[in-house]
């Protein structure tokens, strides 16, 4: 036989013809092979390619159905669709395979499998195992589509085709050629409906018995414990073999997705519904639950109370832990015929838990118009959570009042949180007394009870116990794994109380544990991250604060109005502490708009305090007059609790200092002094406020100022402490005291940054071999401030050195860079930092102003 050299066949399975031809050219010199595969997997294509290559090599090839005509030695016989041939002809092929000297390749489907075909295959298999052709791999689907579609197929489309067709080559080819004919070289994303219609038309050609079984499979019969009625086990085995040979089912017996779609869409609806009801009846007869098939039946449009009940039951089971799934299941239950009013409160709870406040609000609006709305307590909890996240905590409290005597257990505890937060102490106490008798033992209820208790204690004489209760509430809520609607998460409340108490490490720890434990799910995470950033900002760790903010901004979805204000206030606080005037003005403009949307409540006093100071800095204090008046009124209604009022008084003192209005300081200083006896933070702030006023007056005791600065750091106000010491250093003429105060400022600032924070705000690049690499770390800090246009005095204030020392640093920098004048120095510094990759320079430490 002439030598055979394989070419480059136009098929995604190039290795198959090559391996078979290798047999033909091997030691025995004879090719004898059986090729088995379902419909349309490429058997005929393989034979065509073998014929092409044998003929190219000069070998005679025959493709007829009878070997009666004598075949020359060394010629090739290619037999296709052998499963269709009679036993007599198959017997002749078996004899030729056994004793002949011709090459033979026989292709056939695995069903039907006659005795004659079994004998032929057995004869061939004694020489070599059969070649089994199956579904395309994902890569082969993409490759085939690129052959039949102009310009190839987008990767996403190819992946979609693989999933829909199960890789069945005949379906892959049908999709590819149809798309190529319809859209040419245009990009496509979906399988055209015309493909579904064509598949449906081909399914009409199968036997009625097989078609009926395929519909049964399509609606959800699994052929295991729940078999379709009217079929014996033998019938099912035979029909499944037939379907597998026709490439309509996957190897495990499941329908190919595209075939299932065609069956459901192209079969008359009444036939589909009849089969679906047979499935429900069959499941009920076996005593099994409908859980496994209920979703598919609902999605396909079946109305049946048994299906609806199964979906409702499944949704209830995941409501607390998987609210996103619960939303889908409740919607499907309603589609299957469940009472939408009865499910409304649970749907709203799930929607709030996944952050879809608008949809939840619409559901609740419809529900609460009913005179006897079912599940009212659950509905009110969901509604109260919506109002709280919108920043309208007074409306949350009003929802609980509306519930009246139906308020009990966990809902009552949450009502206490809302009412205290909006200033209704009398209402909170009345509810707290009534609810104590109806507490549930569940983890969520216990956590809610501790939340209510902790918040009530925070405004009373036992404020020191509030943090304990709230930390425990956070631990228990995290342990529960529940995602439930709340006015605020226990971790957030614990962090707020901790920050108001000066316990920044505890605030950070509570938030870290809550985030790590997934408290409240993805919808609670943004607020926790923002409070983590706030904690870091107060601790003078701006890089850590910005990292937490970045996690929020990189997430999906928008912040709720309450958290949007917190975010905008953080931007303001960070800009103010970095002395970025332009950035501060922009941040303030954004924040002043956000605050218009949010009334004052107890849990928003921290951002309000920050905005009060920033407003004074940008000379826009009038914008916040109404909000401040509301805040003082709220605190007065609550009895001016020190834990919540002291930080706001401190912010007002700072604002008075910035606006140079010493007469405004008196009431706030008096409030701090009044609260100092039983509240450590108030005592520290009262002392610091007095020392700050003395510094501004130019007559102060440096040792007392240093002690006050360190006291501020001890209650979590590290940045304020370093700023106080820096102020004092800039206003003393005693060089020894100046050095002492500057050392204090540096010590506080470096201590804040010791926990892995880049306090400079600048990350220098790797020094170049040029002049810039000769600068010391301190000189680089000074250089950054020079580029920002700072004077000697401003640079000295920023890094806590004297103006003369700053001048000395600049002279050293000029000498090292070889600059002879200021313009040349600025040019060379820009080149140094551009080479280092520093594109935005911010001061390394907070300035004392």
């Amino acid at each position: 036989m002439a030598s055979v050299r394989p070419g480059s066949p136009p098929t995604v399975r190039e290795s198959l013809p090559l391996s078979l031809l290798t047999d033909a050219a091997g030691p025995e010199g004879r090719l004898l092979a059986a090729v088995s595969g379902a419909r349309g997997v490429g058997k005929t294509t393989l034979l065509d390619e073998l014929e092409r290559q044998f003929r190219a090599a000069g070998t005679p090839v025959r493709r007829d159905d009878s070997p009666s005509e004598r075949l020359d030695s060394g010629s090739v016989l290619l037999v296709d669709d052998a499963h269709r041939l009679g036993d007599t002809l198959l017997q002749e092929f078996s004899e030729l395979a056994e004793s002949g000297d011709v090459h033979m390749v026989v292709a056939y489907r695995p069903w039907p499998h006659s005795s004659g075909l079994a004998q032929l295959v057995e004869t061939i298999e004694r020489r070599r195992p059969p070649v089994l052709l199956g579904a395309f791999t994902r890569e082969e689907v993409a490759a085939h589509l690129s052959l039949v579609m102009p310009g190839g197929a987008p990767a996403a489309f190819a992946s979609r085709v693989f999933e829909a067709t199960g890789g069945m080559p005949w379906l892959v080819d049908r999709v590819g050629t149809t798309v190529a004919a319809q859209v040419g070289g245009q990009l496509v994303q979906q399988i055209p409906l015309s493909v579904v219609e064509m598949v449906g038309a081909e399914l009409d050609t199968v036997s009625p018995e097989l078609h009926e079984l395929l519909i049964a499979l399509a609606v959800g019969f699994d052929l295991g414990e729940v078999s379709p009625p009217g079929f014996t086990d033998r019938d099912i085995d035979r029909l499944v073999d037939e379907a597998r040979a026709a490439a309509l089912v996957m190897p495990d017996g499941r329908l190919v997705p595209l075939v299932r779609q065609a069956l459901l869409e192209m079969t008359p609806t009444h036939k589909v519904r009849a089969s679906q009801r047979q499935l429900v009846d069959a499941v009920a007869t076996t005593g099994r639950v409908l859980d496994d098939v209920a979703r598919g039946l609902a999605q396909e449009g079946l109305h049946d109370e048994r299906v609806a009940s199964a979906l409702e039951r499944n949704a209830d089971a995941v409501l607390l832990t998987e609210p996103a799934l619960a939303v889908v299941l409740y919607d499907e239950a309603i589609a299957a015929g469940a009472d939408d009013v009865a499910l409304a409160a649970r749907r709203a709870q799930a929607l709030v838990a996944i952050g879809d406040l608008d949809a939840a609000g619409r559901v609740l609006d419809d529900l609460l118009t009913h005179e006897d709305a079912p599940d009212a307590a659950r509905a009110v909890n969901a509604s109260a959570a919506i109002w709280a996240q919108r920043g309208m905590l007074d409306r949350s409290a009003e929802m609980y009042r509306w519930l009246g005597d139906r308020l009990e257990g966990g809902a009552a505890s949450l009502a206490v949180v809302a009412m205290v937060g909006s200033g209704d102490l009398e209402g909170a106490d009345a509810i707290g007394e009534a609810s104590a008798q109806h507490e549930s033992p569940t983890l969520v209820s216990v956590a809610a009870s501790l939340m209510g208790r902790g918040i009530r204690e925070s405004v009373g004489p036992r404020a020191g116990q509030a943090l304990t209760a709230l930390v425990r509430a956070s631990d228990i809520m995290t342990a529960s794994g529940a995602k439930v609607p709340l006015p605020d998460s226990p971790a957030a409340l614990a962090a707020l109380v901790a920050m108001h108490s000066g316990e920044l490490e505890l605030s950070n720890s509570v938030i870290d544990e809550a985030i790590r434990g997934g408290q409240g799910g993805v919808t609670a995470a943004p607020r926790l991250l923002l409070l983590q950033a706030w904690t870091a900002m107060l601790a003078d760790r701006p890089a850590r604060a910005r990292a937490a903010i970045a996690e929020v901004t990189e997430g999906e979805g928008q912040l709720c109005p309450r958290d949007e204000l917190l975010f905008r206030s953080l931007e303001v606080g960070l800009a103010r502490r970095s002395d970025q005037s332009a950035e501060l003005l922009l941040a303030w403009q954004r924040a002043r708009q956000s605050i218009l949307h949010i009334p004052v409540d107890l849990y928003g006093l921290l951002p309000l305090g920050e905005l009060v100071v920033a407003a004074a800095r940008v000379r826009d204090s009038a914008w916040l007059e109404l909000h401040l008046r509301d805040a003082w009124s709220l605190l007065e209604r609550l009895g001016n609790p020190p834990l919540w009022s002291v930080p706001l008084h401190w912010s007002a003192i700072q604002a008075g200092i910035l606006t140079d209005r010493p007469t405004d300081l008196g009431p706030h200083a008096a409030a701090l002094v009044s609260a100092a006896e039983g509240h450590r933070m108030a005592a520290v702030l009262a002392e610091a406020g007095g020392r700050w006023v003395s510094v501004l007056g130019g007559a102060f005791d440096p040792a007392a100022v240093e002690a006050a600065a360190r006291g501020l750091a001890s209650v979590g106000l590290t940045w304020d402490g370093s700023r106080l010491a820096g102020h004092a250093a800039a206003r003393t003429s005693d060089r020894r005291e100046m050095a002492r105060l500057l050392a204090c400022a540096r010590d506080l600032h470096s201590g804040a940054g010791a926990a892995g924070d880049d306090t400079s705000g600048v990350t220098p690049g790797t020094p170049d071999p040029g002049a810039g690499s000769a600068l010391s770390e301190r000189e680089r800090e000074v250089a950054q401030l020079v580029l920002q246009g700072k004077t000697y005095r401003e640079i000295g204030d920023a890094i806590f050195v004297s103006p003369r020392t700053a001048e000395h640093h600049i002279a050293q920098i000029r000498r090292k860079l070889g600059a002879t004048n200021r313009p040349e120095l600025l040019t060379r510094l820009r080149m140094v930092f551009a080479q280092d990759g520093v594109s935005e320079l911010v001061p390394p430490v907070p300035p004392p102003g």
Side-chain angles (χ1 to χ4, degrees):
M1 185 184 75
S3 174
V4 177
R5 296 183 177 274
S8 299
T11 173
V12 299
R13 288 170 165 164
E14 298 180 359
S15 63
L16 287 177
L18 177 61
S19 65
L20 293 175
L21 290 172
T22 300
D23 278 6
E28 296 185 15
R30 187 184 183 199
L31 169 60
L32 194 61
V35 180
S36 176
R39 167 208 182 176
V41 295
K43 301 184 298 296
T44 301
T45 301
L46 174 61
L47 296 182
D48 291 343
E49 181 59 24
L50 286 171
E51 179 180 3
R52 185 186 70 80
Q53 296 200 34
F54 272 116
R55 290 190 185 280
T59 304
V61 178
R62 281 184 47 183
R63 302 249 339 225
D64 52 21
D65 295 338
S66 174
S68 56
E69 184 177 339
R70 177 68 181 173
L71 292 170
D72 295 334
S73 176
S75 60
V76 179
L77 176 62
L78 303 177
V79 180
D80 204 357
D81 289 336
H83 57 281
R84 299 179 183 274
L85 304 179
D87 284 347
T88 301
L89 188 54
L90 292 171
Q91 176 64 33
E92 295 180 18
F93 286 146
S94 296
E95 294 172 357
L96 184 61
E98 184 73 44
S99 58
D101 57 358
V102 299
H103 304 289
M104 180 188 296
V105 179
V106 178
Y108 60 95
R109 293 188 190 181
W111 184 93
H113 206 70
S114 65
S115 59
L117 180 59
Q119 181 181 350
L120 172 59
V121 171
E122 181 183 356
T123 300
I124 296 175
E125 286 184 355
R126 287 200 294 267
R127 294 288 299 271
R128 62 164 295 155
V131 176
L132 302 178
L133 298 183
F136 282 156
T137 63
R138 191 180 297 271
E139 293 73 20
E140 287 173 334
V141 168
H144 186 82
L145 291 176
S146 69
L147 290 176
V148 298
M149 293 175 60
F157 178 70
S159 180
R160 193 169 292 116
V161 171
F162 174 77
E163 297 296 338
T165 63
M168 295 301 177
W170 76 278
L171 287 172
V172 174
D173 186 71
R174 187 64 51 86
V175 172
T177 54
T178 301
V179 169
Q182 290 184 358
V183 301
Q186 300 178 18
L187 292 179
V188 290
Q189 299 298 330
Q190 301 295 334
I191 296 174
L193 179 59
S194 58
V195 174
V196 179
E197 293 172 343
M198 283 188 283
V199 173
E202 294 204 26
L203 289 170
D204 288 339
T205 65
V206 304
S207 68
E209 192 179 20
L210 176 58
H211 197 276
E212 184 178 349
L213 179 65
L214 293 176
I215 293 175
L217 292 174
V219 302
F221 281 100
D222 60 10
L223 304 183
E225 296 183 23
V226 184
S227 298
F231 293 92
T232 66
D233 291 345
R234 180 174 296 181
D235 291 336
I236 290 175
D237 290 342
R238 173 177 53 81
L239 292 171
V240 169
D241 286 343
E242 182 180 351
R244 187 176 285 114
L248 301 175
V249 298
M250 311 282 274
D252 60 4
R254 291 179 299 115
L255 280 177
V256 172
L258 185 56
V259 172
R260 181 176 184 274
Q261 180 184 356
L263 285 163
L264 293 175
E265 293 184 12
M266 306 305 295
T267 302
T269 302
H270 70 277
K271 289 187 177 181
V272 174
R273 294 288 178 265
S275 186
Q276 289 171 332
R277 289 192 175 89
Q278 286 180 337
L279 173 61
V280 176
D281 293 340
V283 172
T285 300
T286 62
R288 297 174 59 197
V289 293
L290 278 167
D291 298 358
D292 295 338
V293 297
R295 293 197 63 187
L297 293 171
Q299 291 167 3
E300 289 149 18
L302 179 66
H303 286 254
D304 189 293
E305 64 179 14
R306 295 168 295 179
V307 173
S309 296
L311 290 167
E312 179 182 346
R313 182 173 59 252
N314 290 347
D316 290 345
V318 299
L319 176 57
L320 293 182
T321 55
E322 297 181 73
L325 175 58
V327 169
V328 176
L329 292 172
Y330 284 131
D331 289 344
E332 291 173 353
I334 292 170
D339 183 352
D340 60 337
V341 175
L343 296 183
R346 282 171 280 175
R347 285 182 66 215
Q349 174 178 326
L351 287 165
V352 172
I354 64 174
D356 195 345
L357 304 186
D358 292 341
R362 290 191 293 269
V363 171
L364 290 169
D365 280 350
D366 291 340
L367 172 64
L368 296 177
T369 58
H370 292 74
E371 185 174 349
D372 295 317
D375 212 358
R378 188 193 303 271
V380 165
N381 273 341
S383 182
I386 293 174
W387 287 117
Q389 291 182 56
R390 294 195 187 285
M392 303 177 72
L393 197 62
D394 55 337
R395 294 299 306 161
S396 298
E398 186 59 37
M399 289 303 305
Y400 287 116
R401 294 188 197 98
W402 173 82
L403 194 59
D405 57 8
R406 292 174 291 177
L407 188 63
E408 60 183 34
S413 297
L414 298 180
V416 171
V417 174
M419 289 182 180
V420 171
S422 57
D424 183 6
L425 193 57
E426 183 178 347
D429 286 343
I431 288 174
E433 293 173 4
S435 68
Q437 306 171 1
H438 303 284
E439 291 186 0
S440 165
T442 66
L443 290 175
V444 173
S445 292
V446 171
S449 176
L450 287 169
M451 287 171 63
R453 186 186 312 167
I455 288 300
R456 179 60 185 89
E457 288 174 344
S458 75
V459 296
R462 300 183 300 174
Q465 299 180 27
L467 201 49
T468 299
L470 291 171
V471 169
R472 290 173 180 170
S474 180
D475 291 342
I476 294 171
M477 187 64 75
T478 300
S480 75
K483 287 84 175 176
V484 293
L486 302 168
D488 210 343
S489 69
L493 294 175
L496 287 170
V497 170
M499 283 188 275
H500 277 83
S501 305
E503 298 287 350
L504 298 192
E505 288 303 320
L506 180 56
S507 171
N508 198 58
S509 172
V510 169
I511 294 173
D512 279 347
E513 290 178 10
I515 292 175
R516 189 162 50 248
Q519 184 181 123
V522 295
T523 56
R527 180 162 176 80
L528 293 176
L529 286 167
L530 291 173
L531 290 173
Q532 186 180 62
W534 200 282
T535 304
M537 180 180 73
L538 292 180
D540 198 17
R541 296 172 179 172
R544 179 174 295 185
R546 290 188 174 93
I549 292 172
E551 284 194 59
V552 175
T553 57
E554 291 168 2
E556 298 180 359
Q558 292 184 331
L559 293 173
C560 64
R562 174 190 63 188
D563 296 344
E564 176 73 17
L565 177 61
L566 183 60
F567 169 64
R568 295 304 178 191
S569 302
L570 269 168
E571 289 184 320
V572 167
L574 290 169
R576 181 172 72 86
R577 286 165 174 77
S578 64
D579 197 33
Q580 294 289 309
S581 298
E583 182 181 333
L584 176 59
L585 281 171
L586 290 173
W588 167 249
Q589 290 299 322
R590 293 189 291 265
R592 77 195 299 268
Q593 297 300 320
S594 293
I595 201 170
L596 291 177
H597 300 276
I598 308 296
V600 171
D601 65 57
L602 192 65
Y603 314 126
L605 293 182
L606 273 183
L608 177 61
E610 179 58 46
L611 294 179
V612 165
V613 180
R617 177 83 175 268
V618 300
R619 302 296 187 264
D620 197 10
S621 295
W623 189 261
L624 294 178
E625 285 182 356
L626 178 61
H627 285 79
L628 260 180
R629 187 160 59 246
D630 290 344
W632 298 128
S633 175
L634 168 72
L635 290 167
E636 185 177 1
R637 294 197 304 274
L638 294 172
N640 290 307
L643 187 147
W644 297 99
S645 61
V646 162
L648 189 60
H649 283 300
W650 176 248
S651 296
I653 288 176
Q654 292 184 78
I657 292 172
L658 287 170
T659 54
D660 196 21
R661 296 167 61 180
T663 57
D664 292 350
L665 305 184
H668 304 294
L672 293 179
V673 172
S674 175
E677 183 176 349
H679 193 274
R680 177 174 175 269
M681 189 171 185
V684 170
L685 294 182
E687 173 70 12
R691 297 305 170 188
W692 213 312
V693 171
S694 69
V695 168
L696 293 177
F700 58 90
D701 179 355
V705 169
E706 179 182 356
R710 295 189 182 279
L712 286 172
S714 74
V715 294
L717 298 176
T718 306
W719 185 84
D720 289 27
S722 64
R723 191 164 68 115
L724 172 57
H727 261 199
R731 285 162 176 77
T732 182
S733 57
D734 187 317
R735 295 185 60 80
R736 180 176 297 176
E737 298 298 345
M738 177 189 296
R740 173 181 177 177
L741 290 167
L742 289 175
C744 172
R746 283 194 294 267
D747 181 44
L748 295 179
H749 184 68
S750 61
D757 196 275
D758 171 19
T759 54
S760 73
V762 175
T763 304
T766 303
D768 285 339
S773 63
L775 299 181
S776 68
E777 183 177 353
R778 172 63 85 185
E779 288 167 347
R780 294 178 71 85
E781 292 178 359
V782 172
Q784 293 163 16
L785 296 171
V786 169
L787 284 173
Q788 294 176 35
K790 305 292 185 184
T791 64
Y792 293 154
R793 183 179 185 83
E794 289 172 331
I795 292 172
D797 288 344
I799 62 173
F800 307 115
V801 298
S802 68
R804 180 169 296 179
T805 301
E807 182 181 5
H808 171 72
H809 283 310
I810 294 172
Q812 287 287 96
I813 294 169
R814 182 179 293 174
R815 180 184 61 79
K816 289 183 178 181
L817 297 183
T820 58
N821 53 48
R822 184 172 179 81
E824 186 177 355
L825 173 64
L826 294 175
T827 299
R828 297 198 178 205
L829 285 176
R830 291 190 186 100
M831 292 175 63
V832 166
F833 285 104
Q835 291 168 348
D836 285 353
V838 180
S839 60
E840 179 181 350
L841 303 175
V842 294
V845 291

